[in-house]
Amino acid sequence: MTPELDRTRPVWRQVAAAITERIADGTYPVGARVPSVVELAAEFGVASSTAQKVLAHLKAEGLVRAEVGLGSFVAERPEA
């Protein structure tokens, strides 16, 4: 099932928000692998460059960490 995206707003932000929500609600717990560029592109029906931007944004926000050759994983959140 492909989630519906509002094409009047930046698509990458909508996909990033969806993944952020999944992290927040525990769908992807700490240490869990998040979908790859190819998987995100297929699930959301976006270009791979858009999916790359999503993962780069999530990494910059500290939500995921990338491990070369393994994928991206939910990062541990520092206690505030």
Side-chain angles (χ1 to χ4, degrees):
M1 180 175 101
T2 302
E4 287 296 317
L5 297 174
D6 175 2
R7 299 294 176 168
T8 64
R9 296 182 12 238
V11 173
W12 75 268
R13 287 190 183 274
Q14 295 174 69
V15 175
I19 301 304
T20 300
E21 170 108 6
R22 291 176 188 178
I23 291 169
D25 73 13
T27 302
Y28 301 140
V30 171
R33 186 178 163 281
V34 295
S36 68
V37 168
V38 172
E39 292 165 338
L40 284 175
E43 178 181 350
F44 289 93
V46 298
S48 59
S49 59
T50 300
Q52 285 175 323
K53 188 170 187 173
V54 168
L55 288 177
H57 172 75
L58 295 175
K59 184 177 176 188
E61 292 291 312
L63 294 174
V64 302
R65 59 182 167 74
E67 294 189 21
V68 177
L70 296 176
S72 296
F73 299 86
V74 178
E76 288 193 43
R77 300 294 296 197
E79 295 301 318

